[in-house]
Amino acid sequence: MASPLPGGDRLAEDPVDALEKNLNQVRERIERAAARVGRDPREIKLVAVTKTVAIERIQEAVAAGAMIFGENYVQEAKHKIEEIGHAGIQWHFIGHLQTNKAKYAVRLFDLIHAVDSSALARELDRRAATAGRIVDCLIEVNLSPEGSKFGISKEEAPTLAREMTELKNISLKGLMTMPPYADDPEEARPYFIALRRLKEEIEPTGIPLPELSMGMSQDFEAAIEEGATIVRVGRAIFGERSG
Ligand SMILES: *Cc1c(COP(=O)(O)O)cnc(C)c1O
């Protein structure tokens, strides 16, 4: 869809410059959202979501200062992580993890966002023990049947949280959610509030949940206003995904 006219406004932009500009814009929006509610922007981690994004573009994002990358598929991530490495970079697994991939996940990722069953938690614990690691995890909570088809119900989350704190090779860091897709961030806000309330309900039982992973390209500012400590942003940094 390039404009045939010289001087058309899409004409000259170098994709590397565009990426850097997008990244800086997202960072500024994070800072402004934090400032609106009196939060320190340094307590908010930006995960650059790189599913379907080519290795060269991820390297450009590294050069532009992105430090945490989020992947949805173990196989795709493995290839990228082998190529790009871990030096100064964290890799988060944000997709649905199948139990039979747990053994790879514990070796590849710094944080697993979407633990949603005790079977998966126990398998991660077992595989982490074999790998000689302690794996950081979040519980994915399903606050709406129209959102993610994965995630545990909010009624069952406290029990899973309790079970996970008893597993020696898992370190439970917090909660994650994925509201139903909506263009209007105000439609997502009630889910962000619900996740924060769930954290506030579980923490007094002696289970600290410092991290709340919530907010994507279209709604990360609302998520920050409601307490997100991790936002997962793909399209606003890398542009629309082709696949
Ligand atoms: C793809 C994805 C994101 C990022 O979505 P964008 O709309 O590209 O910002 C965040 N979280 C999860 C779990 C995803 O699968």
Side-chain angles (χ1 to χ4, degrees):
M1 300 290 257
S3 162
L5 300 170
D9 60 2
R10 307 230 165 137
L11 211 59
E13 189 146 52
D14 179 327
V16 178
D17 293 347
L19 199 161
E20 192 165 2
K21 199 164 100 191
N22 289 347
L23 196 57
N24 289 335
Q25 261 165 18
V26 168
R27 288 208 188 95
E28 280 163 27
R29 288 168 60 190
I30 290 172
E31 282 173 24
R32 282 199 299 270
R36 280 198 290 279
V37 291
R39 297 185 59 198
D40 181 348
R42 286 170 302 184
E43 70 187 36
I44 296 150
K45 293 181 264 300
L46 171 60
V47 176
V49 174
T50 44
K51 58 173 173 251
T52 80
V53 174
I55 287 182
E56 298 69 38
R57 305 227 69 211
I58 303 176
Q59 278 161 335
E60 287 159 16
V62 172
M67 288 182 305
I68 311 175
F69 295 96
E71 286 281 338
N72 292 60
Y73 305 100
V74 172
Q75 211 44 45
E76 182 184 341
K78 185 169 182 289
H79 173 60
K80 292 174 178 175
I81 296 170
E82 280 166 0
E83 202 64 32
I84 296 171
H86 266 99
I89 294 173
Q90 280 192 15
W91 294 90
H92 289 192
F93 192 74
I94 64 171
H96 173 68
L97 185 61
Q98 290 169 292
T99 311
N100 64 4
K101 299 275 164 58
K103 66 173 174 224
Y104 306 109
V106 299
R107 291 169 196 273
L108 291 168
F109 297 102
D110 300 285
L111 179 65
I112 295 175
H113 282 231
V115 178
D116 64 357
S117 71
S118 66
L120 177 58
R122 280 186 273 111
E123 181 64 5
L124 284 166
D125 180 61
R126 192 166 79 82
R127 295 295 185 173
T130 309
R133 290 200 59 181
I134 293 186
V135 61
D136 289 348
C137 295
L138 307 177
I139 292 174
E140 180 179 2
V141 186
N142 191 337
L143 297 166
S144 150
E146 300 112 66
S148 173
K149 53 181 184 289
F150 303 110
I152 195 162
S153 70
K154 72 171 190 292
E155 291 74 22
E156 293 169 296
T159 306
L160 180 58
R162 168 65 56 205
E163 274 186 64
M164 285 171 72
T165 57
E166 284 157 11
L167 297 171
K168 288 194 180 58
N169 295 284
I170 281 186
S171 177
L172 176 62
K173 298 293 184 191
L175 306 176
M176 178 270 208
T177 200
M178 199 151 150
Y181 181 84
D183 285 323
D184 179 0
E186 292 313 314
E187 287 183 37
R189 190 183 297 271
Y191 298 98
F192 301 147
I193 295 173
L195 195 70
R196 186 188 67 221
R197 294 213 172 118
L198 185 61
K199 161 195 160 83
E200 290 165 355
E201 182 189 313
I202 296 173
E203 283 192 319
T205 69
I207 302 175
L209 298 169
E211 307 289 354
L212 285 181
S213 168
M214 55 188 196
M216 305 171 34
S217 288
Q218 74 280 6
D219 54 22
F220 66 88
E221 288 147 305
I224 289 168
E225 288 167 6
E226 302 306 338
T229 62
I230 303 176
V231 293
R232 310 178 307 265
V233 179
R235 290 169 302 132
I237 297 171
F238 297 102
E240 292 298 325
R241 283 180 287 276
S242 44

